[in-house]
Amino acid sequence: MVRRARTVLATSSASATATTGFVRSFRWAELGAVLGLVTAVVVWAPAAWVASAVANMSNQRLILADTRGSIWNGSARVILSPGAGSRDASELPQRLGWTLRPTWIDGGLGVRLTLDQACCIKPAAPVTASFGMDRLTVRLPDASPDQPWIRWPAGWLSGLGTPWNTLAPDGLLAVSAQGFVFEGRGKTVTVTGLAQLELRDFSSRLAQVAPLGSYRMALIGGGKEPQLVLSTMQGPLQLSGQGNLGARPQFRGEASPAPGSEAALANLLNIIGRRDGARSIISVG
């Protein structure tokens, strides 16, 4: 009886050990399956997810349509719209492609985004973003105004609706930057470097003069609040102004006609801002 009891105990112990091993193996298999599924989702996540995120963040004003590929290598038609339900929209002349790669930046995890559009974007000029505890740092690629990072047709802005569809702008939008870094830490935002948006050879169907001129909006960092400076490079329509992107963004500027252009620019000046004699006052914030 003693021998039989020992045999039963030994068999039970072996069975329990086998069961425990099976459970552990099953749990490891479960974990492996979950990790494999997560990896597959991350690697093969469709580009449509990017389109959905961009549309939500822009309140349906920036649309990535007919997406192809994945979030890591994809392309789409890029459309501007006044918002959900609107029939007015405008599209860039070519599909926009992108490549997104995880990378190690400044001792932390980050991503490198490279945009690809043969007509309009400087090749091999990535945007980088790094992440940390309650921190986000974004760097724009360096590019000079002579060889800008982005060159898009100004007519694309008509898709945003009023007042752009009324102005019907024509010309070129050029984006450049030098040492531009945006850093957010909690509720604190700092900007260093310079980013510029130029509107070159701008014209409008509301004006009898074409082109109206070329203009530059500069975003200047380095101080407590990023500064905005609007200036005229050339042309009969003179634009100027200053502002900031602080806790309460604001901008004050004016538009005025060059001598001899008053009558030809009257309709346009009425739309740009509040008239004050020959000038139009621009006020935001």
Side-chain angles (χ1 to χ4, degrees), residues 2 38 51-52 84 100 103 120 133 152 180 187 196 243 271:
V2 173
V38 170
S52 179
L100 184 65
T103 187
C120 309
M133 291 297 293
W152 280 334
F180 185 86
K187 296 182 179 180
Q196 297 184 127
I271 292 175

Side-chain angles (χ1 to χ4, degrees), residues 125-210:
V127 178
T128 61
S130 57
F131 314 94
M133 291 297 293
D134 202 26
R135 176 182 63 84
L136 170 65
T137 303
V138 178
R139 292 177 172 84
L140 296 186
D142 284 344
S144 67
D146 292 337
Q147 295 182 330
W149 172 39
I150 292 175
R151 298 164 57 95
W152 280 334
W156 186 47
L157 297 175
S158 297
L160 290 175
T162 306
W164 297 104
N165 57 355
T166 303
L167 290 171
D170 193 13
L172 180 70
L173 296 170
V175 179
S176 60
Q178 292 86 45
F180 185 86
V181 180
F182 167 94
E183 184 171 18
R185 289 181 178 270
K187 296 182 179 180
T188 303
V189 173
T190 58
V191 173
T192 56
L194 171 69
Q196 297 184 127
L197 172 64
E198 293 183 358
L199 179 53
R200 300 176 180 175
D201 296 326
F202 167 62
S203 63
S204 168
R205 67 183 176 190
L206 298 181
Q208 301 174 20
V209 180

Side-chain angles (χ1 to χ4, degrees), residues 10-28:
T11 302
S12 299
S13 177
S15 178
T17 301
T19 301
T20 301
F22 174 78
V23 170
R24 288 176 178 173
S25 297
F26 180 76
R27 287 175 177 172
W28 278 110

Side-chain angles (χ1 to χ4, degrees), residues 3 15-16 23 70 101-102 108-109 111 115 138 154 162 166 171 180 199 202 209 229 233 254 283 285:
R3 181 177 299 174
S15 178
V23 170
S70 70
R101 292 289 182 269
L109 182 64
V111 293
L115 301 177
V138 178
T162 306
T166 303
F180 185 86
L199 179 53
F202 167 62
V209 180
V229 178
M233 299 163 63
E254 66 176 52
S283 179

